[in-house]
Amino acid sequence: MIPGAFDYDAPTTLDEAVALLAELGEEARPLAGGHSLIPMMKLRLAPLEHLVDLRRIDSLKGIRAEGGALVIGAMTTQAELLASDLITGHCPIIQETAALIADPQVRSLGTLGGNVANGDPANDMPALMQCLDAGYVLAGPGGSREVKARDFYESAFFTKRADGEILTAVRVPIPPAGHGYAYEKLKRKIGDYATAAAAVVVTLAGGSCKTAAIALTNLGETPLYAAEASAALVGTPLDKAAVERAVALAEGITAPASDGRGPADYRTKMAGVMLRRALQRALARAAG
Amino acid sequence: MSDAAMTVEEREANLKGIGCSRKRTEDARFIQGKGNYVDDLKLPGMLFGDFVRSPYGHARIKSIDASAALALPGVKAVLTAADLKPLNLHYMPTLAGDVQAVLAEDKVLFQNQEVAFVIAEDRYIAADAAELVEVDYEALPVLVDPFRSMDPDAPVLREDLAGKTEGAHGARRHHNHIFTWDVGDKEATDQAFAQAEVTIKELITYPRVHPAPMETCACVASMDKIRGELTVYGTFQAPHVVRTVASLLSTIPEHKIHVIAPDIGGGFGNKVGVYPGYVCSIVASIVLGVPVKWVEDRMENLSATAFARDYHMTAELAATRDGRITAIRAHVLADHGAFDACADPSKWPAGFFNICTGSYDVPTAYVAVDGVYTNKAPGGVAYRCSFRVTEAAYMIERAVDILAKKLAMDPVELRLKNFIQPHQFPYQSALGWEYDSGDYPTAMKKAMEATSYAALRAEQQERRAAFARGETRELMGIGVAFFTEIVGAGPTRNCDILGVGMFDSCEIRIHPTGAAIARLGTKSQGQAHETTYAQILATEIGIPADDIMIEEGNTDTAPYGLGTYGSRSTPVAGAAAARVGRKIRDKARKIAAHLLEVGEDDLEFEVDRFKVKGLPERQKNMKEIAWAAYNNVPEGLELGLEAVDYYDPPNMTYPFGAYICVVDIDADTGVTKVRRFYALDDCGTRINPMVIEGQVHGGLTEAFAIAMGQEIRYDEGGNVMGASFMDYFVPTAVETPVWETDHTVTPSPHHPIGAKGVGESPNVGGVPAFSNAVNDAFAHLDITHIQMPHDHWRTWKVCEKLGLVG
Ligand SMILES: Cc1cc2nc3c(=O)[nH]c(=O)nc-3n(C[C@H](O)[C@H](O)[C@H](O)COP(=O)(O)OP(=O)(O)OC[C@H]3O[C@@H](n4cnc5c(N)ncnc54)[C@H](O)[C@@H]3O)c2cc1C
């Protein structure tokens, strides 16, 4: 449980960090909270020669509302998400999710940027960001671009982020007032990744579902945005029949691994159970 | 307050003796982070060792090339079996009469087996160098299923045993067979089964788990070549035995070996044996002439140092239709891994598994245990229990519930019907034990009242009906366990470790001011010995516990003892402490008589002093007597106030308890919530109720972990799965249920203060209570036995099979 030798830099500006990563190439990595990266280094799973610590770069921190979206700096910790009034006011599902990640110690160091950039399908924030249709702002030597969370994930630990790019912010469109939401996560104990988890945001109009978004955590090689299941809910009163149809569609896109959390068939069924429960709570919270 | 102004009660309270919930004196340093653990030790010039471990479960080693590792700056040496062989140290003896490879010679037999030992200037370099050692392996067929181990065509694991048809415990009938151990009257038992009105038979598996102490195993070996003396600091539950073994292996005379166990962060059996890390550190220090430290990491601890359980128990009960158990028959397949490194007394290859008749008056029984080799890590230690007692208790308590279901009887009613009755003690069990004392019906009834057992059963009926009507998705289970332990090994006539009898010891030296230091042969790993031994001595001698310092773990200063495991500290060393106290009191009486100028018989002892009978104002307290012991003793009496006692217990002690657990199972997810857990323990005389409660809380938490999630699993390729805290279930405060504790007191008749030991009871009784609760949730349905661990997915699978989901 001792990592191999590595070099370490802690630049203070984004430009410096981008330049360093470009110069160092493949075996350099950005370091955020370190709570996914350092355990991996201790297991010596990947050769890593250089860490570029992003912690001193002020421009990567902070949360603000801007143009109908919440713009959350990549280096914002889970603890800061939990403490933010802006988030409580506009998008509380982020806090409901953050509170289910690991434990207070991990949350005080682990960042939103690290959680979504990591590319681990076991992380909770990626599916949530897909559910919220967030965009990831990436800065590279050639400038800045935005990639939608729903397009970002390719397979486990492979994303659309190029090696030299740094995720600077996550842009979350503010859901309409009165939206219903819930994040349901089944886990074995505090500090465990999800056996299965479901994120749900719905809006209602005149008693029927106007919009719906569903995404699933740790049920495949990537976080899963359940587009068909989401679409199947729109226009329905979110009654039992509609929910069961969505559950069947959502279960249908899962391809979980069998591991200590359970065999694949169990985890697929748990995706359904989590989704049912999330929909039930979201409906109870939704106005209109 | 001056001594004279104090009432008897105040003086008694001042002693903080037996029965007082004295705060743990050791905690002052622990909670401030000032404990002194092996890894805190830094000696000048100290080097660090790290292992190269096998990625294979079974493979031939074709070559080992350490040249790249040796070329790394800061690397001092790389040891392999080839270096140890000339010293005859490539194998070491195990406590079970087998040998274990220190470093693999021709073959590796389990994943993460030790192959080479790299010694470097710091642990970072050592870890880098370990990666550079190139080992060429040729994979061999892997044997992980113990039920296949004795197949005719099963792979040969132990080539070093080729042709050995006799093992340490009798004949071996297959190349992967270690021993067969049986006990009881087979013929009578078979006959009882042939005539039985009702029988049950079930394979009850206790999976492979790991004690997982918070501090992993570690040592620092330091050879002083000038003086020819070896000092070994280590996480040793039995430091004196380690010294003896080190002397026998190294041929360094025992008095030139100093084994020191500093503070230990939990042991639970994991720190009883001797590991390759210790031997390699010692050899490295001898070779290099400087201290060498070895500290295993969490994954090494979980995957390579001693596991526990892995008992596959086929249990059979015979009974009458009205619920009298007439016989027990059991066969155990014991998976010992690649080497038989079980930590049991020498003559007990299956520990005290023959306590498996439990708390019941069973006329006849027969048990046979087959030990086998597989490609798994060695071990088989008693994880917070006396030797194989948890397995035995689990088997009988599950089996009784299975019988209750078959007879359509309440599990408590069946237990009450079969209990050994109070008047039957001392009770001779069918499998050879003499139970010292107990009152089982009283304990069981108290537990039923405290939990309103009848009301719980009524509620369960209602809940089941509500479930059937679709009004709830939860299944309620009520688990009952009534356990009897056998602890405090042991009489030396039948219990020894490598030939050293399992006595224990206490030595006390009272200084002129009346303060004292006492040393014992045991070693606390968190059990609060520094607190509780002082309480025994305080009551026996009459000096305050606060004035008695307790020391253990330094083999140079402490009297020889066999260490702490199997709940033996209070039953054995605690008895020695009481007897040492009585020796001191006897001498003190002589001095008091001399000082008061009366005969010894004219004196009576009162809390902390001797008084002249009929003239109570004429008295001498222990402080005055201690002072006099150094300047004014009766003629012919030695000066000083010291005593030592080596205690060989006449029998073991038999703590017992009644546990009741209530769970609610979510049929949709398999998540089990523990609604209530009530634990009544009878450990005889209670030395420190607060410490007992702490021990019970800790043990129940471990039992909860074992029953609900712990498992060291191997896949078919011999890969050890989940050997990290990500997967291996160690509950946090969030998952841990609330514990309700209670007690009855049935003193041990043969122990000087009537104490029986308690540290392990909650693990022994807790596991069946949880497991019975989960099983009971389904007792009205078509299922007889659900294997542990009762984690979410396994429980859900039961629901699925029974058509309860979705
Ligand atoms: C015991 C434990 C339990 C956990 N449980 C959970 C859980 O239940 N759910 C969950 O979601 N997570 C869990 N985690 C992971 C935790 O949330 C991590 O903090 C998170 O996954 C990564 O964030 P980080 O800031 O620590 O990133 P790091 O570990 O520093 O980085 C992770 C990866 O992202 C890259 N990276 C980081 N920031 C950037 C950036 N701005 N731009 C580009 N690349 C970047 C790094 O190079 C690295 O590859 C757990 C961790 C631990 C130790």
Side-chain angles (χ1 to χ4, degrees), chain A residues 29-30 32-37 54 101-102 110-111 114-115 117-118 123-124 161 167 185 191-193:
Chain A
R29 285 279 186 99
H35 273 61
S36 286
L37 187 54
L54 306 181
I101 292 177
T111 65
N115 199 296
N118 193 30
N123 279 128
D124 289 291
R161 185 181 71 86
L167 173 73
K185 176 176 178 179
D192 193 17
Y193 292 93

PDB file of all heavy atoms in Angstrom, chain A residues 29-30 32-37 54 101-102 110-111 114-115 117-118 123-124 161 167 185 191-193, ligand 1:
ATOM      1  N   ARG A  29      -0.774  13.421 -14.001  1.00  0.00           N
ATOM      2  CA  ARG A  29      -2.202  13.474 -13.704  1.00  0.00           C
ATOM      3  C   ARG A  29      -2.506  14.686 -12.852  1.00  0.00           C
ATOM      4  O   ARG A  29      -1.747  14.991 -11.935  1.00  0.00           O
ATOM      5  CB  ARG A  29      -2.613  12.262 -12.858  1.00  0.00           C
ATOM      6  CG  ARG A  29      -2.718  10.978 -13.564  1.00  0.00           C
ATOM      7  CD  ARG A  29      -4.033  10.815 -14.324  1.00  0.00           C
ATOM      8  NE  ARG A  29      -4.042   9.467 -14.834  1.00  0.00           N
ATOM      9  CZ  ARG A  29      -4.689   8.463 -14.237  1.00  0.00           C
ATOM     10  NH1 ARG A  29      -5.405   8.693 -13.170  1.00  0.00           N
ATOM     11  NH2 ARG A  29      -4.618   7.255 -14.732  1.00  0.00           N
ATOM     12  N   PRO A  30      -3.675  15.293 -13.090  1.00  0.00           N
ATOM     13  CA  PRO A  30      -4.116  16.310 -12.134  1.00  0.00           C
ATOM     14  C   PRO A  30      -4.478  15.621 -10.813  1.00  0.00           C
ATOM     15  O   PRO A  30      -5.002  14.509 -10.812  1.00  0.00           O
ATOM     16  CB  PRO A  30      -5.378  16.898 -12.780  1.00  0.00           C
ATOM     17  CG  PRO A  30      -5.461  16.345 -14.154  1.00  0.00           C
ATOM     18  CD  PRO A  30      -4.635  15.109 -14.198  1.00  0.00           C
ATOM     19  N   ALA A  32      -6.710  16.264  -7.409  1.00  0.00           N
ATOM     20  CA  ALA A  32      -7.704  17.125  -6.742  1.00  0.00           C
ATOM     21  C   ALA A  32      -7.732  16.745  -5.270  1.00  0.00           C
ATOM     22  O   ALA A  32      -6.764  16.977  -4.560  1.00  0.00           O
ATOM     23  CB  ALA A  32      -9.051  16.966  -7.426  1.00  0.00           C
ATOM     24  N   GLY A  33      -8.801  16.117  -4.808  1.00  0.00           N
ATOM     25  CA  GLY A  33      -8.855  15.714  -3.395  1.00  0.00           C
ATOM     26  C   GLY A  33      -8.032  14.479  -3.102  1.00  0.00           C
ATOM     27  O   GLY A  33      -7.726  14.172  -1.951  1.00  0.00           O
ATOM     28  N   GLY A  34      -7.684  13.751  -4.135  1.00  0.00           N
ATOM     29  CA  GLY A  34      -6.811  12.588  -3.968  1.00  0.00           C
ATOM     30  C   GLY A  34      -7.501  11.342  -3.430  1.00  0.00           C
ATOM     31  O   GLY A  34      -6.851  10.325  -3.223  1.00  0.00           O
ATOM     32  N   HIS A  35      -8.811  11.384  -3.248  1.00  0.00           N
ATOM     33  CA  HIS A  35      -9.448  10.245  -2.588  1.00  0.00           C
ATOM     34  C   HIS A  35      -9.875   9.125  -3.524  1.00  0.00           C
ATOM     35  O   HIS A  35     -10.397   8.109  -3.087  1.00  0.00           O
ATOM     36  CB  HIS A  35     -10.584  10.716  -1.690  1.00  0.00           C
ATOM     37  CG  HIS A  35     -10.059  11.060  -0.331  1.00  0.00           C
ATOM     38  ND1 HIS A  35      -9.127  12.052  -0.147  1.00  0.00           N
ATOM     39  CD2 HIS A  35     -10.277  10.508   0.879  1.00  0.00           C
ATOM     40  CE1 HIS A  35      -8.818  12.101   1.139  1.00  0.00           C
ATOM     41  NE2 HIS A  35      -9.493  11.178   1.780  1.00  0.00           N
ATOM     42  N   SER A  36      -9.642   9.302  -4.806  1.00  0.00           N
ATOM     43  CA  SER A  36      -9.710   8.167  -5.725  1.00  0.00           C
ATOM     44  C   SER A  36      -8.317   7.883  -6.262  1.00  0.00           C
ATOM     45  O   SER A  36      -7.900   6.732  -6.376  1.00  0.00           O
ATOM     46  CB  SER A  36     -10.652   8.462  -6.897  1.00  0.00           C
ATOM     47  OG  SER A  36     -11.981   8.417  -6.456  1.00  0.00           O
ATOM     48  N   LEU A  37      -7.609   8.954  -6.565  1.00  0.00           N
ATOM     49  CA  LEU A  37      -6.308   8.805  -7.215  1.00  0.00           C
ATOM     50  C   LEU A  37      -5.266   8.165  -6.292  1.00  0.00           C
ATOM     51  O   LEU A  37      -4.559   7.234  -6.692  1.00  0.00           O
ATOM     52  CB  LEU A  37      -5.828  10.186  -7.688  1.00  0.00           C
ATOM     53  CG  LEU A  37      -4.563  10.220  -8.524  1.00  0.00           C
ATOM     54  CD1 LEU A  37      -4.680   9.297  -9.723  1.00  0.00           C
ATOM     55  CD2 LEU A  37      -4.266  11.649  -8.986  1.00  0.00           C
ATOM     56  N   LEU A  54      -4.059  20.611  -8.095  1.00  0.00           N
ATOM     57  CA  LEU A  54      -4.877  21.763  -8.514  1.00  0.00           C
ATOM     58  C   LEU A  54      -5.334  22.608  -7.321  1.00  0.00           C
ATOM     59  O   LEU A  54      -6.034  23.598  -7.498  1.00  0.00           O
ATOM     60  CB  LEU A  54      -6.111  21.261  -9.274  1.00  0.00           C
ATOM     61  CG  LEU A  54      -5.855  20.327 -10.470  1.00  0.00           C
ATOM     62  CD1 LEU A  54      -7.175  19.932 -11.135  1.00  0.00           C
ATOM     63  CD2 LEU A  54      -4.932  21.002 -11.506  1.00  0.00           C
ATOM     64  N   ILE A 101     -22.115  10.176  -0.214  1.00  0.00           N
ATOM     65  CA  ILE A 101     -20.776   9.791  -0.668  1.00  0.00           C
ATOM     66  C   ILE A 101     -19.873   9.576   0.536  1.00  0.00           C
ATOM     67  O   ILE A 101     -19.719  10.467   1.370  1.00  0.00           O
ATOM     68  CB  ILE A 101     -20.184  10.875  -1.592  1.00  0.00           C
ATOM     69  CG1 ILE A 101     -20.978  10.911  -2.905  1.00  0.00           C
ATOM     70  CG2 ILE A 101     -18.704  10.645  -1.838  1.00  0.00           C
ATOM     71  CD1 ILE A 101     -20.535  11.993  -3.866  1.00  0.00           C
ATOM     72  N   ALA A 102     -19.304   8.410   0.632  1.00  0.00           N
ATOM     73  CA  ALA A 102     -18.269   8.097   1.612  1.00  0.00           C
ATOM     74  C   ALA A 102     -18.642   8.565   3.011  1.00  0.00           C
ATOM     75  O   ALA A 102     -19.722   8.274   3.508  1.00  0.00           O
ATOM     76  CB  ALA A 102     -16.937   8.652   1.163  1.00  0.00           C
ATOM     77  N   GLY A 110     -12.593  15.341  -0.954  1.00  0.00           N
ATOM     78  CA  GLY A 110     -12.989  14.938  -2.307  1.00  0.00           C
ATOM     79  C   GLY A 110     -13.762  16.052  -3.003  1.00  0.00           C
ATOM     80  O   GLY A 110     -14.590  16.725  -2.395  1.00  0.00           O
ATOM     81  N   THR A 111     -13.496  16.235  -4.289  1.00  0.00           N
ATOM     82  CA  THR A 111     -14.093  17.356  -5.027  1.00  0.00           C
ATOM     83  C   THR A 111     -15.125  16.873  -6.039  1.00  0.00           C
ATOM     84  O   THR A 111     -15.101  15.709  -6.474  1.00  0.00           O
ATOM     85  CB  THR A 111     -12.999  18.119  -5.792  1.00  0.00           C
ATOM     86  OG1 THR A 111     -12.442  17.243  -6.791  1.00  0.00           O
ATOM     87  CG2 THR A 111     -11.891  18.602  -4.864  1.00  0.00           C
ATOM     88  N   GLY A 114     -13.137  16.104  -9.294  1.00  0.00           N
ATOM     89  CA  GLY A 114     -12.462  14.806  -9.236  1.00  0.00           C
ATOM     90  C   GLY A 114     -13.458  13.671  -9.361  1.00  0.00           C
ATOM     91  O   GLY A 114     -13.206  12.660 -10.019  1.00  0.00           O
ATOM     92  N   ASN A 115     -14.597  13.823  -8.725  1.00  0.00           N
ATOM     93  CA  ASN A 115     -15.611  12.778  -8.739  1.00  0.00           C
ATOM     94  C   ASN A 115     -16.135  12.517 -10.150  1.00  0.00           C
ATOM     95  O   ASN A 115     -16.296  11.365 -10.553  1.00  0.00           O
ATOM     96  CB  ASN A 115     -16.760  13.190  -7.803  1.00  0.00           C
ATOM     97  CG  ASN A 115     -17.619  12.021  -7.396  1.00  0.00           C
ATOM     98  OD1 ASN A 115     -18.264  11.409  -8.237  1.00  0.00           O
ATOM     99  ND2 ASN A 115     -17.640  11.697  -6.114  1.00  0.00           N
ATOM    100  N   ALA A 117     -14.584  13.643 -13.080  1.00  0.00           N
ATOM    101  CA  ALA A 117     -13.506  13.443 -14.057  1.00  0.00           C
ATOM    102  C   ALA A 117     -12.898  12.057 -13.945  1.00  0.00           C
ATOM    103  O   ALA A 117     -12.327  11.520 -14.890  1.00  0.00           O
ATOM    104  CB  ALA A 117     -12.418  14.502 -13.864  1.00  0.00           C
ATOM    105  N   ASN A 118     -13.020  11.477 -12.758  1.00  0.00           N
ATOM    106  CA  ASN A 118     -12.400  10.191 -12.451  1.00  0.00           C
ATOM    107  C   ASN A 118     -12.789   9.109 -13.468  1.00  0.00           C
ATOM    108  O   ASN A 118     -11.971   8.298 -13.880  1.00  0.00           O
ATOM    109  CB  ASN A 118     -12.844   9.814 -11.036  1.00  0.00           C
ATOM    110  CG  ASN A 118     -12.077   8.680 -10.434  1.00  0.00           C
ATOM    111  OD1 ASN A 118     -10.901   8.490 -10.760  1.00  0.00           O
ATOM    112  ND2 ASN A 118     -12.714   7.922  -9.571  1.00  0.00           N
ATOM    113  N   ASN A 123     -18.671   6.090  -8.948  1.00  0.00           N
ATOM    114  CA  ASN A 123     -18.865   7.425  -8.378  1.00  0.00           C
ATOM    115  C   ASN A 123     -20.325   7.846  -8.522  1.00  0.00           C
ATOM    116  O   ASN A 123     -20.988   7.509  -9.508  1.00  0.00           O
ATOM    117  CB  ASN A 123     -17.979   8.456  -9.088  1.00  0.00           C
ATOM    118  CG  ASN A 123     -16.541   8.432  -8.569  1.00  0.00           C
ATOM    119  OD1 ASN A 123     -15.594   8.339  -9.342  1.00  0.00           O
ATOM    120  ND2 ASN A 123     -16.383   8.525  -7.279  1.00  0.00           N
ATOM    121  N   ASP A 124     -20.796   8.622  -7.542  1.00  0.00           N
ATOM    122  CA  ASP A 124     -22.209   9.003  -7.540  1.00  0.00           C
ATOM    123  C   ASP A 124     -22.511  10.240  -8.375  1.00  0.00           C
ATOM    124  O   ASP A 124     -23.608  10.355  -8.927  1.00  0.00           O
ATOM    125  CB  ASP A 124     -22.668   9.260  -6.104  1.00  0.00           C
ATOM    126  CG  ASP A 124     -22.746   7.969  -5.313  1.00  0.00           C
ATOM    127  OD1 ASP A 124     -23.632   7.155  -5.619  1.00  0.00           O
ATOM    128  OD2 ASP A 124     -21.907   7.754  -4.417  1.00  0.00           O
ATOM    129  N   ARG A 161     -12.393  13.494 -21.898  1.00  0.00           N
ATOM    130  CA  ARG A 161     -11.348  14.436 -21.501  1.00  0.00           C
ATOM    131  C   ARG A 161     -10.012  13.982 -22.085  1.00  0.00           C
ATOM    132  O   ARG A 161      -9.626  12.823 -21.925  1.00  0.00           O
ATOM    133  CB  ARG A 161     -11.243  14.510 -19.975  1.00  0.00           C
ATOM    134  CG  ARG A 161     -10.266  15.550 -19.462  1.00  0.00           C
ATOM    135  CD  ARG A 161     -10.185  15.547 -17.935  1.00  0.00           C
ATOM    136  NE  ARG A 161      -9.512  14.372 -17.402  1.00  0.00           N
ATOM    137  CZ  ARG A 161      -8.172  14.278 -17.252  1.00  0.00           C
ATOM    138  NH1 ARG A 161      -7.389  15.283 -17.592  1.00  0.00           N
ATOM    139  NH2 ARG A 161      -7.636  13.175 -16.777  1.00  0.00           N
ATOM    140  N   LEU A 167     -10.542  19.800 -16.078  1.00  0.00           N
ATOM    141  CA  LEU A 167     -11.942  20.166 -15.877  1.00  0.00           C
ATOM    142  C   LEU A 167     -11.947  21.375 -14.959  1.00  0.00           C
ATOM    143  O   LEU A 167     -11.402  21.317 -13.854  1.00  0.00           O
ATOM    144  CB  LEU A 167     -12.674  18.988 -15.233  1.00  0.00           C
ATOM    145  CG  LEU A 167     -14.113  19.226 -14.783  1.00  0.00           C
ATOM    146  CD1 LEU A 167     -15.041  19.319 -15.989  1.00  0.00           C
ATOM    147  CD2 LEU A 167     -14.572  18.112 -13.858  1.00  0.00           C
ATOM    148  N   LYS A 185     -29.839   5.408  -2.971  1.00  0.00           N
ATOM    149  CA  LYS A 185     -28.601   4.632  -3.087  1.00  0.00           C
ATOM    150  C   LYS A 185     -28.643   3.460  -2.111  1.00  0.00           C
ATOM    151  O   LYS A 185     -28.897   3.652  -0.924  1.00  0.00           O
ATOM    152  CB  LYS A 185     -27.410   5.533  -2.770  1.00  0.00           C
ATOM    153  CG  LYS A 185     -26.060   4.831  -2.760  1.00  0.00           C
ATOM    154  CD  LYS A 185     -24.933   5.832  -2.523  1.00  0.00           C
ATOM    155  CE  LYS A 185     -23.580   5.138  -2.465  1.00  0.00           C
ATOM    156  NZ  LYS A 185     -22.469   6.088  -2.254  1.00  0.00           N
ATOM    157  N   GLY A 191     -19.322   4.573   3.572  1.00  0.00           N
ATOM    158  CA  GLY A 191     -18.023   4.496   2.906  1.00  0.00           C
ATOM    159  C   GLY A 191     -18.020   3.533   1.742  1.00  0.00           C
ATOM    160  O   GLY A 191     -16.989   3.332   1.106  1.00  0.00           O
ATOM    161  N   ASP A 192     -19.172   2.940   1.443  1.00  0.00           N
ATOM    162  CA  ASP A 192     -19.206   1.996   0.332  1.00  0.00           C
ATOM    163  C   ASP A 192     -19.795   2.670  -0.906  1.00  0.00           C
ATOM    164  O   ASP A 192     -20.611   3.581  -0.811  1.00  0.00           O
ATOM    165  CB  ASP A 192     -20.078   0.791   0.700  1.00  0.00           C
ATOM    166  CG  ASP A 192     -19.890  -0.371  -0.278  1.00  0.00           C
ATOM    167  OD1 ASP A 192     -18.894  -0.374  -1.025  1.00  0.00           O
ATOM    168  OD2 ASP A 192     -20.753  -1.262  -0.289  1.00  0.00           O
ATOM    169  N   TYR A 193     -19.356   2.195  -2.054  1.00  0.00           N
ATOM    170  CA  TYR A 193     -19.955   2.625  -3.311  1.00  0.00           C
ATOM    171  C   TYR A 193     -21.304   1.925  -3.476  1.00  0.00           C
ATOM    172  O   TYR A 193     -21.596   0.935  -2.797  1.00  0.00           O
ATOM    173  CB  TYR A 193     -19.026   2.289  -4.479  1.00  0.00           C
ATOM    174  CG  TYR A 193     -17.762   3.110  -4.459  1.00  0.00           C
ATOM    175  CD1 TYR A 193     -16.609   2.638  -3.846  1.00  0.00           C
ATOM    176  CD2 TYR A 193     -17.732   4.378  -5.029  1.00  0.00           C
ATOM    177  CE1 TYR A 193     -15.451   3.408  -3.807  1.00  0.00           C
ATOM    178  CE2 TYR A 193     -16.572   5.155  -4.990  1.00  0.00           C
ATOM    179  CZ  TYR A 193     -15.434   4.663  -4.383  1.00  0.00           C
ATOM    180  OH  TYR A 193     -14.305   5.424  -4.343  1.00  0.00           O
TER     181      TYR A 193
HETATM  182  C1  LIG C   1     -13.422   5.276   1.617  1.00  0.00           C
HETATM  183  C2  LIG C   1     -13.899   5.979   0.379  1.00  0.00           C
HETATM  184  C3  LIG C   1     -15.220   5.856   0.031  1.00  0.00           C
HETATM  185  C4  LIG C   1     -15.693   6.501  -1.119  1.00  0.00           C
HETATM  186  N1  LIG C   1     -17.014   6.373  -1.428  1.00  0.00           N
HETATM  187  C5  LIG C   1     -17.495   7.051  -2.484  1.00  0.00           C
HETATM  188  C6  LIG C   1     -18.867   6.995  -2.834  1.00  0.00           C
HETATM  189  O1  LIG C   1     -19.676   6.353  -2.164  1.00  0.00           O
HETATM  190  N2  LIG C   1     -19.295   7.667  -3.924  1.00  0.00           N
HETATM  191  C7  LIG C   1     -18.448   8.412  -4.669  1.00  0.00           C
HETATM  192  O2  LIG C   1     -18.886   9.025  -5.626  1.00  0.00           O
HETATM  193  N3  LIG C   1     -17.141   8.487  -4.378  1.00  0.00           N
HETATM  194  C8  LIG C   1     -16.649   7.820  -3.305  1.00  0.00           C
HETATM  195  N4  LIG C   1     -15.314   7.913  -3.018  1.00  0.00           N
HETATM  196  C9  LIG C   1     -14.430   8.666  -3.907  1.00  0.00           C
HETATM  197  C10 LIG C   1     -14.372  10.111  -3.508  1.00  0.00           C
HETATM  198  O3  LIG C   1     -15.624  10.731  -3.683  1.00  0.00           O
HETATM  199  C11 LIG C   1     -13.305  10.833  -4.335  1.00  0.00           C
HETATM  200  O4  LIG C   1     -13.021  11.990  -3.628  1.00  0.00           O
HETATM  201  C12 LIG C   1     -13.697  11.188  -5.756  1.00  0.00           C
HETATM  202  O5  LIG C   1     -14.018  10.060  -6.504  1.00  0.00           O
HETATM  203  C13 LIG C   1     -12.549  11.850  -6.520  1.00  0.00           C
HETATM  204  O6  LIG C   1     -12.448  13.172  -6.192  1.00  0.00           O
HETATM  205  P1  LIG C   1     -11.064  13.761  -5.722  1.00  0.00           P
HETATM  206  O7  LIG C   1     -11.260  15.227  -5.597  1.00  0.00           O
HETATM  207  O8  LIG C   1     -10.656  13.070  -4.504  1.00  0.00           O
HETATM  208  O9  LIG C   1     -10.163  13.442  -6.989  1.00  0.00           O
HETATM  209  P2  LIG C   1      -8.764  12.739  -7.152  1.00  0.00           P
HETATM  210  O10 LIG C   1      -8.738  11.456  -6.452  1.00  0.00           O
HETATM  211  O11 LIG C   1      -7.697  13.690  -6.836  1.00  0.00           O
HETATM  212  O12 LIG C   1      -8.794  12.511  -8.708  1.00  0.00           O
HETATM  213  C14 LIG C   1      -9.574  11.522  -9.309  1.00  0.00           C
HETATM  214  C15 LIG C   1      -9.263  11.455 -10.792  1.00  0.00           C
HETATM  215  O13 LIG C   1      -9.763  12.583 -11.445  1.00  0.00           O
HETATM  216  C16 LIG C   1      -8.728  13.335 -12.055  1.00  0.00           C
HETATM  217  N5  LIG C   1      -9.047  14.741 -11.801  1.00  0.00           N
HETATM  218  C17 LIG C   1      -9.342  15.277 -10.617  1.00  0.00           C
HETATM  219  N6  LIG C   1      -9.660  16.565 -10.763  1.00  0.00           N
HETATM  220  C18 LIG C   1      -9.546  16.842 -12.064  1.00  0.00           C
HETATM  221  C19 LIG C   1      -9.765  17.991 -12.826  1.00  0.00           C
HETATM  222  N7  LIG C   1     -10.192  19.150 -12.278  1.00  0.00           N
HETATM  223  N8  LIG C   1      -9.553  17.925 -14.158  1.00  0.00           N
HETATM  224  C20 LIG C   1      -9.169  16.780 -14.727  1.00  0.00           C
HETATM  225  N9  LIG C   1      -8.958  15.654 -14.058  1.00  0.00           N
HETATM  226  C21 LIG C   1      -9.153  15.667 -12.734  1.00  0.00           C
HETATM  227  C22 LIG C   1      -7.470  12.860 -11.398  1.00  0.00           C
HETATM  228  O14 LIG C   1      -6.364  13.008 -12.258  1.00  0.00           O
HETATM  229  C23 LIG C   1      -7.783  11.437 -11.121  1.00  0.00           C
HETATM  230  O15 LIG C   1      -7.585  10.650 -12.237  1.00  0.00           O
HETATM  231  C24 LIG C   1     -14.813   7.276  -1.895  1.00  0.00           C
HETATM  232  C25 LIG C   1     -13.483   7.389  -1.536  1.00  0.00           C
HETATM  233  C26 LIG C   1     -13.014   6.755  -0.411  1.00  0.00           C
HETATM  234  C27 LIG C   1     -11.579   6.889  -0.049  1.00  0.00           C
END
